[in-house]
Amino acid sequence: MEKQDKIYVAGHRGMVGSAIVRELRRQGYENIITRTHAELDLSDQRAVAAFFEKEKPDYVFLAAAKVGGIVANNNSPADFLYENMMLEMNVIHSAWKNGCKKLEFLGSSCIYPRMAPQPMPESCLLTSALEKTNEGYALAKISGLKYCEYLNRQYGTDYISVMPTNLYGPNDNYHPEHSHVLPALIRRFHEAKESGAESVVCWGDGSPLREFLYVDDLANLCVFLMNNYSGNETVNAGTGKELSIRALTELVAEVVGYEGKIEWDTTRPNGTPRKLLDVSKATALGWTYTTELKEGIRLSYEDFLNNPIRAER
């Protein structure tokens, strides 16, 4: 990307999109186009087509998505499949129709099989069954990735995809029912500390292993890949390190300053037993993360405390 190129960041108000905008500006890119959902509904095919015909961006970061935690995904699989499929296809198709030089599609590590080899290489995609609790979202993300790959093969485009591990950081969603595990824990322990609660109940038994990447590190990788990578296969984005949900819970409690008891409700689902990405491809390209988990949680808690609308989100 050249500094004068027109860059469209879809989903700029979300956690990932806002981090990409911050990173682009940090690197001196100023010709950035954004639209709020009220200004442009990405699930509206005609509206998206008209936007691309008018603006004709040179580069597109597709970070817009309907996202949620295990409860939301499990309860609303039809919504997650439909809304994500619609917005992805509209943006990718209109980018291609309007001569976009390069598009980067943001996926999720949940595209990989439930019982994938660990750590999960990019090549394990579609080799066995998905995790049922977020299958709708995963199928939508796989379709977006494949559409980019098929356009490259059929029409010679230069569209790439990135598959992040569990993300956290500024602009996260702290909703008590619709958030992911790390922001949900931040909120739960903060409220328990404020109310003086003697104990906090967490789902499952704490045994699943998870990997977490600070969102500003992901944004740095996204810009790096836009400038340095072309290929049909996706690129994993992670740290290559994992810890148990139990250890994560204790770490969040420590950072927040909650000193009560942590209890586990084993009648609740654990989700996938292990989800560690093989990040050797990104490493070989010359990129690695910089924010360690404890520092990232501290920065996230600061963001939570300074987020005036967190209770409504």
Side-chain angles (χ1 to χ4, degrees):
M1 293 183 294
E2 302 296 330
K3 292 297 186 278
Q4 70 273 15
D5 284 324
K6 189 183 278 192
I7 303 166
Y8 171 46
V9 180
H12 76 285
R13 295 210 296 190
M15 177 171 61
V16 173
S18 61
I20 290 172
V21 170
R22 281 197 303 276
E23 181 65 20
L24 286 167
R25 289 191 172 134
R26 190 184 71 80
Q27 293 192 29
Y29 297 98
E30 294 294 340
N31 195 4
I32 301 167
I33 316 165
T34 59
R35 292 290 185 277
T36 64
H37 180 73
E39 293 167 332
L40 177 62
D41 179 357
L42 295 179
S43 65
D44 182 335
Q45 191 175 46
R46 288 182 180 176
V48 174
F51 165 77
F52 272 87
E53 282 168 23
K54 181 186 176 192
E55 295 291 345
K56 297 206 181 294
D58 300 301
Y59 292 87
V60 173
F61 290 88
L62 179 40
K66 176 181 174 65
V67 297
I70 189 171
V71 179
N73 271 279
N74 202 31
N75 292 345
S76 311
D79 297 345
F80 278 87
L81 178 65
Y82 177 80
E83 291 183 37
N84 283 297
M85 284 282 286
M86 290 297 287
L87 73 88
E88 290 165 10
M89 293 299 157
N90 290 342
V91 171
I92 298 167
H93 187 74
S94 286
W96 166 61
K97 280 288 193 184
N98 289 277
C100 173
K101 291 178 189 174
K102 193 166 185 174
L103 178 143
E104 185 175 294
F105 173 68
L106 274 291
S108 163
S109 59
C110 72
I111 65 165
Y112 294 127
R114 172 179 166 81
M115 300 308 290
Q118 299 291 329
M120 299 181 282
E122 290 87 352
S123 58
C124 75
L125 181 65
L126 294 174
T127 54
S128 61
L130 297 165
E131 161 65 30
K132 286 293 179 188
T133 53
N134 57 16
E135 188 179 69
Y137 180 72
L139 286 169
K141 287 297 184 182
I142 291 168
S143 298
L145 180 158
K146 284 294 179 183
Y147 188 41
C148 289
E149 178 189 326
Y150 296 158
L151 286 171
N152 290 348
R153 279 171 43 188
Q154 191 173 342
Y155 294 105
T157 52
D158 185 10
Y159 291 179
I160 62 173
S161 59
V162 189
M163 292 302 126
T165 188
N166 299 291
L167 299 169
Y168 69 101
N171 250 348
D172 210 337
N173 173 12
Y174 300 101
H175 191 282
E177 293 167 20
H178 307 303
S179 58
H180 289 101
V181 61
L182 205 157
L185 288 172
I186 288 174
R187 179 175 183 142
R188 197 173 304 166
F189 284 121
H190 172 77
E191 291 179 348
K193 183 178 80 168
E194 293 287 287
S195 68
E198 290 182 9
S199 65
V200 169
V201 179
C202 298
W203 280 30
D205 62 12
S207 66
L209 297 168
R210 291 291 182 271
E211 173 186 23
F212 295 91
L213 179 67
Y214 190 61
V215 72
D216 286 55
D217 286 349
L218 170 67
N220 180 261
L221 173 62
C222 287
V223 176
F224 174 84
L225 291 174
M226 191 68 104
N227 285 321
N228 295 284
Y229 177 72
S230 295
N232 288 332
E233 192 177 67
T234 190
V235 179
N236 286 339
T239 63
K241 298 177 179 178
E242 62 188 341
L243 80 167
S244 71
I245 293 295
R246 185 179 291 270
L248 172 73
T249 301
E250 291 166 356
L251 187 58
V252 173
E254 179 191 338
V255 171
V256 171
Y258 175 73
E259 296 176 348
K261 250 174 86 178
I262 300 170
E263 298 175 350
W264 296 91
D265 180 357
T266 55
T267 66
R268 299 292 193 169
N270 271 330
T272 309
R274 194 178 179 208
K275 273 174 68 174
L276 179 65
L277 291 180
D278 180 342
V279 295
S280 57
K281 188 172 180 180
T283 304
L285 289 166
W287 183 88
T288 189
Y289 80 101
T290 58
T291 309
E292 295 297 347
L293 186 57
K294 188 171 182 178
E295 172 63 8
I297 293 172
R298 187 189 66 75
L299 292 167
S300 299
Y301 186 45
E302 265 182 33
D303 173 67
F304 172 82
L305 293 173
N306 293 308
N307 182 347
I309 59 165
R310 65 176 183 263
E312 288 78 46
R313 292 183 72 175

